[in-house]
Amino acid sequence: MNSFYLSKPYQPPQAPQKLPLNESWALFGGMSPQQFMKRYWHKEPLLVRGAIPAFALCSQNEESLESPISYEQLVHFAAQEEVESRLIQSKPWRFDQGPFQKKSLPKLDMRDWTLLLQGMEAHHPAAAKVLSWFRFVPDARLDDLMISIAGIGGGVGPHFDSYDVFLIQMSGRRQWRISQQKDLSLDTKLPLKILQNFQCEQEWVLESGDMLYLPPHVAHDGIALDAGCQTWSVGFRSPSFKELLQEGLWRLAESLEDIPDLDRKFADPKQGSTASPEQLPQELIKQLREQLASLNLNQIDRFLPGITAYLSEPKQQAFFDGPKQPLSQSQFLKELANTSLIPSPQSRILSLGKQVFCNGDNVTKDQTIEIISAWNDLSSAKRLQTNRLKNSSKTSLYEAYLAGWLIFED
């Protein structure tokens, strides 16, 4: 056993492409993802001690394992326009939106502050790797990874989320108090969404490597006990049905452009004289009803492509920059035979059957069977390496590479 402490950052592993869903995971305290989803997901909280065993192993060897991303690095990210950052200070409560200059952020030894950085999987590979652990939940539900770093006493106050969340302790200790209370009314006098009457029912102190899962609407309050306390939060999307149907209808309306028969003008040779000219004509209503019936708008399959496209849209802060020296298509295909093509960290890819949507676009529309198959492999495994594609006209795969949506792995 070493007689000195060796401080080193934790290096999260990338999850395997095919997750062992029926095997026990340390992340869930020995449960399998299948068991976790059946017993806890969307149902009740779960505390897991040693969810990341590396921290406990290093502690046994008298080594200190630090967060993969340091305070200095997080301060650097908080200064960038493309990173959504927020600074919350208590006593009194105060909220500021980034980007932040370094001098405007509290030092580690100061108290009662929290810096939040959203969507960090798009900006640091360690965060992307941690997020990959949670692909036992559909990609359409997985939102992003937020990092919270705080001084002693830092927190955002007792609150609730409308979505599931995994709270992973990556550095220092944090005290969590939770409640499954029904009263979720907020204090309207404060600049943050803080519960007016929080009644703690359970509490724990999480150390590095521990994890707390909370279903939606479980009230919780986390207080940092150490300077530089880091909590990594994996959050999930929970759109309303109104939001989904509005987006599906909007995109369905756009798709009507592809139906030439709808360009025909309305005609009413059977229209008779009317004593109620102010009323919408029954002949118009009849013909519209016939057109709607022909479109099968009562079939959910007509809405799903638009909804999938919507859910595949990147975050508002996403910025894509194509390669500075782009390969020709023939060079691209040669590189693809030797190097994995992966989504840009800010890209989102979802599938609907054999259709694949990337950043809001149906990238398999009007493509060859080989390209459609390649996109399906990319959507499933989040990487593609193949020598089976032919150098034909420009493909959506090559165009996505030129747009910066897809990149070759270093």
Side-chain angles (χ1 to χ4, degrees), residues 153-174:
V156 300
H159 64 287
F160 71 93
D161 298 314
S162 58
Y163 50 84
D164 305 81
V165 63
F166 292 92
L167 302 160
I168 306 168
Q169 196 60 26
M170 274 293 183
S171 182
R173 298 168 302 150
R174 184 179 290 271

Side-chain angles (χ1 to χ4, degrees), residues 49-193:
R49 298 290 187 188
I52 304 178
F55 285 92
L57 289 171
C58 280
S59 180
Q60 292 173 9
N61 292 327
E62 296 185 4
E63 297 178 353
S64 176
L65 198 57
E66 301 296 332
S67 167
I69 311 179
S70 67
Y71 164 78
E72 290 76 17
Q73 288 175 300
L74 292 174
V75 167
H76 174 74
F77 282 119
Q80 299 177 14
E81 287 278 355
E82 60 270 25
V83 178
E84 182 183 350
S85 57
R86 292 166 287 163
L87 178 63
I88 296 173
Q89 295 170 291
S90 57
K91 300 179 182 178
W93 288 108
R94 179 181 168 185
F95 171 86
D96 292 295
Q97 195 84 31
F100 299 101
Q101 293 184 354
K102 183 178 180 180
K103 61 183 179 181
S104 67
L105 292 173
K107 305 296 183 190
L108 277 178
D109 57 0
M110 297 176 67
R111 295 183 57 95
D112 305 321
W113 63 270
T114 297
L115 177 65
L116 305 172
L117 298 104
Q118 207 79 37
M120 285 301 295
E121 75 285 350
H123 306 289
H124 197 286
K129 288 177 180 178
V130 169
L131 199 63
S132 75
W133 302 350
F134 295 87
R135 287 196 72 208
F136 58 87
V137 179
D139 289 340
R141 290 280 278 118
L142 197 56
D143 190 9
D144 69 356
L145 187 145
M146 182 184 76
I147 295 180
S148 162
I149 184 167
I152 294 174
V156 300
H159 64 287
F160 71 93
D161 298 314
S162 58
Y163 50 84
D164 305 81
V165 63
F166 292 92
L167 302 160
I168 306 168
Q169 196 60 26
M170 274 293 183
S171 182
R173 298 168 302 150
R174 184 179 290 271
Q175 179 191 45
W176 283 106
R177 301 187 301 152
I178 74 166
S179 172
Q180 300 192 60
Q181 64 192 59
K182 301 300 181 184
D183 180 9
L184 297 177
S185 56
L186 303 176
D187 190 336
T188 57
K189 300 176 184 177
L190 297 176
L192 301 166
K193 292 183 177 180

